[in-house]
Amino acid sequence: MVSPHGIKLAVYLISSYFGDLNAKVCDCLLRRGTQTLYQVVSSTELSRTNVKNCLLVLIHHNCVQAFALRQQGGFGEEPKVITQYMALFDNIIHKLRFPKFIEIVSEEMGKECEEIFEGLLQHGRLSLTEIIERYKEASKQGDSSADAARDSFNSLVNARFVERCPAPDPLLEPPAAEETAAKKRGAKSAKIQAQTMEQQALAAAAPMESMRFLVEDIWNDSVERADKRTTDVKCGMKKQGDLESNTKDPATGETEVLWRANFEEFIRRLRHKIPPLELVNCLVIDVTLLRSCKKACVANVKVRVNNDAAIVLAATLELSRHSETKLRIDNSVPQSINAIYDEVIKREGGLGMDLERIRASLDDLGCEAPLMEIDETYSVDLKNIIEQARIEEVESIVLKRYGREAYRMFRLLSKADRLVETDKISDTTFVEKKDAVKILFKLWKDDYLEMKKVIARAAKQSEFILWKINKQSLWEHILDEMYHAALNLRLRITHEKEQEKEILQMPKDKLVGELGNKYMRLRKVCIVLESSLMNLDDSLMRFHDF
């Protein structure tokens, strides 16, 4: 369920990138859920042609996923296949993070890879032929740049920054047929089928893991097609009815594979925004969250713990890069002591370390000790570290918004595992009861706390007020507030640029005197606002993507 301000932010982003018509269709899908073409036309009151064109644009830019649903026909009628459309909220919000994604590619892969990747973000999805053509045009080296494009593209795929596009419209069987098949296969399969229709569609559309990053078997054909293809084909644009993951090349009639940015990989790398100190204090190591900030986290551990711990941490991070398992934040990930040892001795300063020193370092880092010596593994708790980071984020908000006394009371409740009575909160935090009641009711009114009244039926009937934090509802509330703040920042940036649009359109050599001062003021304001938006997005990801 998407929050109200989350929907407003997503619609505004679509409007900024693709115009008001596409935003109207997107708003319909986000608010009403999965819809057919007829339902979207009816809800938006747009023409069928306009709605269809908008859906094609949104699908092409990975903001909407189509899927076909087989429905039983009436008596004596054949089953009907109806195409449904669902908005991909996460992919829309990722547009806020495009500068971060580009920065990661630029730092890790270089300028050539950055140009190819930027083209994928700009056009949504491209075939290899189109990627080659764009690279040739940008480099102005003609056919001689094809090899460079090949190397850069292969690097992006090997790093999992780029993946094959999902199937255009996977077919889902009726729920009744799926439930019957699940019962025949057993209870385990029945649990798998307990997904929503949208989750099933996304799973059905996703390419197999063995094919998701496979490029070698089609590269040579793509290079040949690029040489034959005429230059009047506009990159990133396809025929109106052709939005499949595999599309036909107009020059040869053969099928080509479309590629897009792999947002999942970038989110994994951005998870390092949790401060490294928390990794030590939470008594766990989250190898997935640390993957992209290896140097920073290793340096932090080296200062706060010791050099051995830094070497072991670096080895653990490297092992996580080769894991093919998609980790969930509520699971623990066991890692073999032998695998850690093999990786440690490859590193500078690690050759002289034995198993006992490695075990001691793992203990210093807070890894869970193994229960048995046989098949010795060390567990990595992912849920605890995310929850701790969220709590500290909310505590900082409470401190700034409501003051230090409210912060102490909120912190007490965040550590409590049961309802806490008003008097106990007042006594523990050294806040006068009268003031404590005012603060608690203010936090409750703003949806930071939950309240429960209990009547004690004794000789003298009395009423007690108990307080607690419902973390799940609190996370949702904070996330909605962050979406609201992000929307306001985007609107303010747009307003500032609109106010000075004439200055932005002027040549730089004419920006002197008063005009130059206005330009510098606008530049500073935009830098502050955009930096604030990027910092806010770090916190936003902590509550939504991690």
Side-chain angles (χ1 to χ4, degrees):
M1 186 69 180
V2 182
S3 70
H5 287 106
I7 292 175
K8 290 180 180 179
L9 175 60
V11 171
Y12 179 77
L13 290 172
I14 293 297
S15 176
S16 300
Y17 280 91
F18 310 116
D20 292 339
L21 289 182
N22 288 288
K24 194 170 186 178
V25 171
C26 180
D27 182 71
C28 171
L29 293 175
L30 286 171
R31 295 185 185 278
R32 297 175 179 269
T34 301
Q35 302 269 290
T36 63
L37 178 62
Y38 173 79
Q39 290 172 323
V40 177
V41 171
S42 177
S43 300
T44 59
E45 299 182 351
L46 298 174
S47 69
R48 182 183 178 88
T49 301
N50 281 340
V51 171
K52 188 175 181 180
N53 289 339
C54 290
L55 288 170
L56 290 170
V57 170
L58 294 172
I59 291 172
H60 187 69
H61 286 272
N62 309 302
C63 299
V64 167
Q65 173 67 51
F67 63 94
L69 183 64
R70 193 191 304 276
Q71 296 182 346
Q72 297 294 339
F75 181 75
E77 295 181 354
E78 293 291 328
K80 299 178 181 179
V81 176
I82 300 176
T83 301
Q84 308 264 355
Y85 300 91
M86 61 175 171
L88 302 178
F89 174 77
D90 289 354
N91 285 4
I92 297 171
I93 297 300
H94 285 332
K95 291 186 177 295
L96 282 174
R97 298 157 191 152
F98 280 3
K100 295 181 180 178
F101 297 166
I102 293 173
E103 183 181 6
I104 290 173
V105 172
S106 179
E107 289 178 354
E108 295 192 18
M109 315 298 294
K111 187 67 176 177
E112 293 78 9
C113 291
E114 179 189 345
E115 291 177 0
I116 291 177
F117 182 75
E118 195 170 351
L120 284 169
L121 292 182
Q122 180 182 354
H123 295 289
R125 49 184 72 183
L126 293 172
S127 68
L128 285 175
T129 304
E130 292 168 330
I131 290 171
I132 296 170
E133 289 179 349
R134 289 192 79 259
Y135 194 87
K136 286 181 179 179
E137 184 178 347
S139 63
K140 298 180 180 180
Q141 296 178 10
D143 296 339
S144 61
S145 62
D147 289 339
R150 172 180 181 174
D151 293 340
S152 298
F153 183 80
N154 280 338
S155 297
L156 287 168
V157 175
N158 291 336
R160 301 201 166 199
F161 290 147
V162 173
E163 64 177 354
R164 292 192 183 207
C165 290
D169 53 350
L171 177 63
L172 299 184
E173 297 297 332
E178 292 182 343
E179 291 172 3
T180 303
K183 289 179 180 178
K184 292 181 181 179
R185 291 193 295 269
K188 186 175 180 180
S189 296
K191 289 182 181 180
I192 297 175
Q193 297 299 330
Q195 296 176 317
T196 64
M197 179 174 62
E198 289 78 9
Q199 289 172 333
Q200 293 179 47
L202 290 176
M208 294 186 298
E209 196 67 24
S210 59
M211 296 294 295
R212 188 178 173 190
F213 304 102
L214 185 62
V215 65
E216 290 82 0
D217 60 333
I218 56 175
W219 176 259
N220 291 332
D221 292 338
S222 297
V223 173
E224 293 176 4
R225 280 196 291 268
D227 293 336
K228 296 178 182 178
R229 196 168 183 177
T230 55
T231 57
D232 60 343
V233 178
K234 189 175 182 180
C235 290
M237 303 297 292
K238 289 180 287 302
K239 295 179 293 181
Q240 203 171 58
D242 190 13
L243 283 170
E244 292 82 357
S245 177
N246 297 317
T247 183
K248 287 187 177 180
D249 182 273
T252 64
E254 298 179 4
T255 299
E256 285 188 281
V257 176
L258 295 181
W259 299 84
R260 67 175 186 178
N262 179 16
F263 298 141
E264 182 182 297
E265 179 65 23
F266 286 99
I267 292 302
R268 285 177 183 158
R269 291 174 181 259
L270 287 171
R271 285 174 178 159
H272 73 283
K273 293 299 182 182
I274 295 177
L277 178 57
E278 294 176 13
L279 302 175
V280 180
N281 291 339
C282 290
L283 303 180
V284 288
I285 299 176
D286 182 354
V287 293
T288 304
L289 301 187
L290 293 173
R291 281 173 51 172
S292 64
C293 63
K294 183 161 53 177
K295 292 182 180 178
C297 291
V298 169
N300 184 278
V301 169
K302 186 174 181 179
V303 171
R304 297 182 182 275
V305 188
N306 54 48
N307 189 57
D308 286 358
I311 294 172
V312 172
L313 177 57
T316 308
L317 297 175
E318 186 62 29
L319 284 174
S320 71
R321 293 179 61 84
H322 303 296
S323 173
E324 295 296 330
T325 304
K326 188 176 180 180
L327 306 179
R328 290 170 53 88
I329 66 170
D330 55 349
N331 288 340
S332 293
V333 182
Q335 293 215 21
S336 163
I337 185 66
N338 292 325
I340 295 173
Y341 173 77
D342 290 341
E343 188 64 36
V344 164
I345 61 176
K346 297 177 184 177
R347 303 188 162 272
E348 183 179 355
L351 187 60
M353 294 182 67
D354 56 19
L355 288 174
E356 288 306 315
R357 287 175 62 185
I358 292 175
R359 289 190 184 98
S361 297
L362 289 168
D363 185 60
D364 290 338
L365 291 166
C367 278
E368 236 177 73
L371 297 177
M372 297 183 299
E373 291 297 328
I374 301 174
D375 192 23
E376 181 181 353
T377 59
Y378 287 81
S379 296
V380 177
D381 189 347
L382 306 180
K383 183 178 180 180
N384 188 31
I385 190 171
I386 297 297
E387 184 169 301
Q388 182 65 26
R390 289 172 176 173
I391 289 172
E392 293 190 4
E393 184 79 31
V394 180
E395 286 175 354
S396 68
I397 294 173
V398 171
L399 177 62
K400 294 174 183 176
R401 188 175 295 179
Y402 303 100
R404 187 161 295 279
E405 292 180 340
Y407 165 77
R408 292 204 302 268
M409 287 187 281
F410 184 88
R411 186 173 178 83
L412 172 67
L413 290 170
S414 70
K415 296 180 181 298
D417 56 358
R418 59 176 64 88
L419 291 161
V420 183
E421 202 267 329
T422 306
D423 288 341
K424 185 176 180 180
I425 296 174
S426 175
D427 295 340
T428 306
T429 58
F430 303 104
V431 179
E432 290 291 334
K433 184 175 179 180
K434 184 179 179 181
D435 296 332
V437 171
K438 289 181 180 179
I439 294 171
L440 289 168
F441 269 98
K442 191 171 185 180
L443 290 170
W444 169 72
K445 185 179 178 181
D446 291 344
D447 296 324
Y448 281 78
L449 300 179
E450 286 191 356
M451 176 184 66
K452 185 176 182 180
K453 293 183 179 181
V454 177
I455 299 176
R457 300 186 181 279
K460 183 179 180 181
Q461 183 170 306
S462 56
E463 183 181 78
F464 296 93
I465 301 178
L466 306 178
W467 306 88
K468 74 169 185 177
I469 295 174
N470 185 328
K471 291 179 180 177
Q472 189 56 45
S473 63
L474 178 59
W475 301 160
E476 293 172 0
H477 172 69
I478 293 297
L479 183 61
D480 188 58
E481 285 191 341
M482 289 182 175
Y483 284 137
H484 191 186
L487 175 60
N488 286 340
L489 283 171
R490 288 282 301 198
L491 290 171
R492 180 62 184 272
I493 292 171
T494 302
H495 172 74
E496 291 289 343
K497 291 182 177 179
E498 186 67 24
Q499 289 287 98
E500 305 291 351
K501 62 180 180 181
E502 293 182 359
I503 292 178
L504 292 174
Q505 294 172 354
M506 293 179 64
K508 287 188 177 181
D509 57 349
K510 293 186 178 181
L511 296 175
V512 294
E514 186 64 25
L515 292 177
N517 293 334
K518 287 185 178 181
Y519 175 79
M520 291 305 298
R521 178 254 173 201
L522 176 63
R523 185 170 179 271
K524 290 178 181 178
V525 168
C526 288
I527 289 174
V528 171
L529 292 174
E530 288 169 358
S531 298
S532 299
L533 182 60
M534 291 298 101
N535 292 333
L536 175 62
D537 183 56
D538 292 340
S539 298
L540 196 154
M541 285 190 291
R542 190 172 298 175
F543 284 86
H544 179 69
D545 297 284
F546 296 175

